[in-house]
Amino acid sequence: TWGSRVSITVSEHGMVGGFLYLYNNYGEMFLEERFFSRTELLINKEGIEKLKASKVAIVGIGGVGSFAAEALARAGVGTFTIVDSDIIVPSNINRQIHALHTTVGLPKVDVMKKRILDINPDAKVVSIREFYSAETASQILSDDFDYLVDAIDSIKSKINLIVNCKKLNIPIISAMGAGNKLDPTKFQVADISETSVCPMARKIRKELRKNGIETGVKVVFSTESPLRHQRPPGSISFVPSVMGLIMAGEVIKDLIKN
């Protein structure tokens, strides 16, 4: 029904962008919202088409990476490669979007792939259950990625990933330390050369300089000093998630701008 009074018989319809326009039996048109309709109001049809045509890799599907993947899927990115070797364990439930009591014991990439496809059945998702390292890089990286989200914890692997992305001209955004932090408002987006406070960023800067890289790497880092220095790091629901959402936002803005 239309409102509470008018009965509608759909006689013809047509898709225009993210909207489905329907006509009732009086020839009057009305609007039904579709999946991308609200997003299209913000970034226009051209932006929607750019995201749909984009290929984004997310390496590390944990507290940061799972939220980045979620946001990218809901924004309409068309093709994903998601990489992680881990299974979901109970301690992930406090901060990882795919982690539920019903998913404990399942591979993170399998659960995230299913979730992405439930959000957007038209998406293409390649899931790689592998730990990124210098040894596995050739199995994972592709020069046709339009963007890569680095959400891995290992500094050694992170350095290798950044260096390889620079060699392959893959745009990359890299997550610095989110553990042992409690204030998500302290996150900033900057070039690696402009980071401060974050102990991980300090180490990354030093190692990248050894590889001839001083600038040109976009990162998300926190100006909050770690509350504790401990391994494993403490974590909470609203810090790594915010970092992942910020990273996804940067990816989306860059993709629709280029």
Side-chain angles (χ1 to χ4, degrees):
T1 61
W2 188 349
S4 58
R5 295 174 297 168
V6 181
S7 176
I8 294 175
T9 302
V10 177
S11 57
E12 60 177 310
H13 67 275
M15 281 294 295
V16 179
F19 300 96
L20 178 64
Y21 290 91
L22 303 172
Y23 297 84
N24 64 15
N25 51 332
Y26 302 109
E28 297 165 319
M29 185 177 73
F30 68 101
L31 178 66
E32 179 186 331
E33 287 188 319
R34 305 295 282 177
F35 175 23
F36 297 126
S37 61
R38 296 299 180 94
T39 308
E40 185 176 332
L41 290 172
L42 189 63
I43 66 173
N44 302 320
K45 184 177 181 181
E46 182 183 6
I48 293 291
E49 293 302 320
K50 284 183 177 181
L51 293 180
K52 184 178 178 182
S54 295
K55 299 177 181 179
V56 177
I58 306 163
V59 184
I61 308 295
V64 174
S66 65
F67 274 89
E70 177 91 1
L72 292 167
R74 291 183 184 275
V77 167
T79 302
F80 292 84
T81 296
I82 55 175
V83 183
D84 200 301
S85 62
D86 289 343
I87 62 170
I88 294 170
V89 297
S91 63
N92 298 152
I93 294 174
N94 79 323
R95 69 195 184 283
Q96 301 186 18
I97 201 166
H98 48 40
L100 304 166
H101 289 286
T102 54
T103 60
V104 167
L106 300 177
K108 291 182 180 182
V109 290
D110 291 352
V111 177
M112 199 71 229
K113 177 178 180 177
K114 183 178 180 181
R115 187 176 178 93
I116 291 170
L117 292 174
D118 202 15
I119 292 167
N120 181 8
D122 292 329
K124 297 182 176 111
V125 185
V126 176
S127 59
I128 302 175
R129 192 180 173 192
E130 187 64 79
F131 178 78
Y132 179 89
S133 66
E135 293 71 36
T136 61
S138 62
Q139 307 167 35
I140 294 169
L141 295 181
S142 170
D143 59 7
D144 72 344
F145 291 153
D146 296 303
Y147 224 111
L148 187 141
V149 175
D150 160 31
I152 55 180
D153 298 324
S154 164
I155 290 180
K156 183 178 180 181
S157 294
K158 189 178 288 285
I159 294 296
N160 182 272
L161 179 58
I162 293 171
V163 169
N164 277 324
C165 282
K166 298 296 283 185
K167 288 178 180 176
L168 294 169
N169 293 316
I170 301 170
I172 181 173
I173 185 166
S174 183
M176 299 293 102
N180 295 320
K181 309 286 178 67
L182 201 58
D183 188 352
T185 68
K186 298 295 186 181
F187 284 125
Q188 294 185 18
V189 180
D191 188 88
I192 185 63
S193 63
E194 300 169 351
T195 56
S196 60
V197 181
C198 176
M200 178 183 281
R202 189 180 309 118
K203 293 177 183 177
I204 297 294
R205 288 198 309 269
K206 180 180 178 181
E207 294 301 316
L208 286 178
R209 280 197 296 268
K210 294 178 182 177
N211 287 272
I213 300 172
E214 295 193 9
T215 62
V217 180
K218 183 183 285 193
V219 303
V220 179
F221 74 104
S222 176
T223 58
E224 179 186 13
S225 296
L227 299 182
R228 298 179 181 178
H229 296 276
Q230 59 188 2
R231 299 296 301 177
S235 63
I236 199 163
S237 59
F238 52 82
V239 174
S241 55
V242 170
M243 178 179 266
L245 295 175
I246 291 171
M247 295 177 81
E250 290 298 308
V251 171
I252 291 163
K253 286 186 290 183
D254 286 345
L255 288 173
I256 63 177
K257 177 177 64 178
N258 293 335

